[in-house]
């Protein structure tokens, strides 16, 4: 791999489709696709192809591997601790390998004292080229979900801990939220049941529009706070709700 390649996030040099590039701060390699090809990564530099976390004893000496078979690359965890994949997915040593899609995939190796070591992976697609740079193209806005005034106010109150960036946020209980809403709007007839109904209505509407993780069937039992946790993740990611919305509570 070129020595001036400091990241794979912006693409890779033109390469044969299926060629894989793997990079860490300690260096990286590129490998052509061929059955049986395997890339080892971990802390023990002399025994792996790509070194990651070499000064961190929480990283295993051989923490994982990437192998080509059945026409694509597969990542396997072999260390003591799991790998973190995109969207929060964890890959444990006892689990089946996960296929890598064409394009860029960041993998994270958990280290000591809260450290995470980045392992960048890029699989060349059918064109074998890097993505087209779009410096001057208009920014694609997120899909902001329509909320009625009552829905938005109820969601701000119920989800205020998410908006305040608490480390482990939880939604407010319906009755607690109703009490706060009654302080804001004394004559609006807020009750716990009304708050619950409004939030469930938004959740069901977004589910019908294709947002995943908002129904019991998808999440499974026990549900706990998963449905509303997923709802607030979508509302914040889409900027339907933003942190400054909690200012209404101070007013």
């Amino acid at each position: 791999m070129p020595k001036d390649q400091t990241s794979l996030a912006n693409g890779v040099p033109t390469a044969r489709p299926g060629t894989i590039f793997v990079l860490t701060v300690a260096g990286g390699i590129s490998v052509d696709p061929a059955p049986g090809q395997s890339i080892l990564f971990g802390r023990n530099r002399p025994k792996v192809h790509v070194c990651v976390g070499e000064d961190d004893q929480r990283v295993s000496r051989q923490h994982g591997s990437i192998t080509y078979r059945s026409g694509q690359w597969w990542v396997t965890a072999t260390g003591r601790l799991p790998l973190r994949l995109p969207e929060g997915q964890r890959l444990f040593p006892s689990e089946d390998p996960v296929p890598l899609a064409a394009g860029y995939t960041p993998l994270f190796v958990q280290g000591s004292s809260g450290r995470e070591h980045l392992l960048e992976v890029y699989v060349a697609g059918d064109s074998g080229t890097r993505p087209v740079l779009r410096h001057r193209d208009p920014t694609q806005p997120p899909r902001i979900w329509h909320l009625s005034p009552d829905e938005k106010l109820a969601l701000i109150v119920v989800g205020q801990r998410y908006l305040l960036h608490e480390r482990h946020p939880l939604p407010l209980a319906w009755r607690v939220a109703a009490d706060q809403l009654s302080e804001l709007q004394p004559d609006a007839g807020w009750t716990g049941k009304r708050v619950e109904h409004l939030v469930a209505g938004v959740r069901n509407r977004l589910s019908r529009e294709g947002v995943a993780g908002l129904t019991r069937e998808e999440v499974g039992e026990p549900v706990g706070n998963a449905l509303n946790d997923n709802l607030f993740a979508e509302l914040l990611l889409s900027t339907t709700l933003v942190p400054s919305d909690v200012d209404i509570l101070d007013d």
Side-chain angles (χ1 to χ4, degrees), residues 49-138:
H49 300 104
V50 180
C51 185
V52 57
E54 60 184 327
D55 64 341
D56 192 334
Q57 288 181 272
R58 290 292 296 276
V59 178
S60 295
R61 285 167 289 185
Q62 182 183 320
H63 207 94
S65 66
I66 302 173
T67 303
Y68 190 83
R69 61 179 173 82
S70 303
Q72 63 185 133
W73 294 96
W74 301 75
V75 59
T76 302
T78 59
R80 296 273 183 127
L81 296 175
L83 296 170
R84 181 165 69 83
L85 281 61
E87 300 184 0
Q89 181 183 357
R90 304 279 178 175
L91 179 60
F92 289 81
S94 59
E95 294 184 309
D96 292 336
V98 171
L100 293 169
Y104 179 75
T105 302
L107 304 177
F108 296 90
V109 179
Q110 183 180 339
S112 57
S113 303
R115 296 173 68 188
E116 281 195 315
H117 305 276
L118 173 62
L119 184 83
E120 294 185 283
V121 179
Y122 195 107
V123 179
D126 291 339
S127 66
T129 59
R130 68 177 62 199
V132 176
L133 301 181
R134 302 184 181 277
H135 298 149
R136 297 182 180 275
D137 286 5

Side-chain angles (χ1 to χ4, degrees), residues 157-158 161 170-180 192 195-196 225:
V157 172
V158 173
R161 293 168 178 162
L170 290 172
L172 259 62
W174 306 129
R175 185 170 181 177
V176 174
D179 289 343
Q180 289 195 16
V195 176
E196 181 180 6
N225 287 308

Side-chain angles (χ1 to χ4, degrees), residues 154 158 172-179 181-182 189-200:
V158 173
L172 259 62
W174 306 129
R175 185 170 181 177
V176 174
D179 289 343
L181 286 161
S182 295
W190 287 105
T191 65
K193 283 294 184 182
R194 184 184 175 199
V195 176
E196 181 180 6
H197 177 75
L198 284 170
V199 174

Side-chain angles (χ1 to χ4, degrees), residues 12 24 28 30 36 67 73 81 88 108 146 151 153 173-174 177 217 225:
V12 296
T24 70
S30 62
T67 303
W73 294 96
L81 296 175
F108 296 90
H146 172 74
E151 288 174 337
L153 181 59
W174 306 129
E217 292 74 19
N225 287 308

Side-chain angles (χ1 to χ4, degrees), residues 23-47:
L23 180 69
T24 70
V25 294
I29 63 171
S30 62
V31 179
D32 289 337
Q37 288 278 38
S38 188
I39 301 167
L40 305 179
F41 59 89
R43 174 167 49 89
N44 189 4
R45 181 186 287 270
K47 299 291 186 179

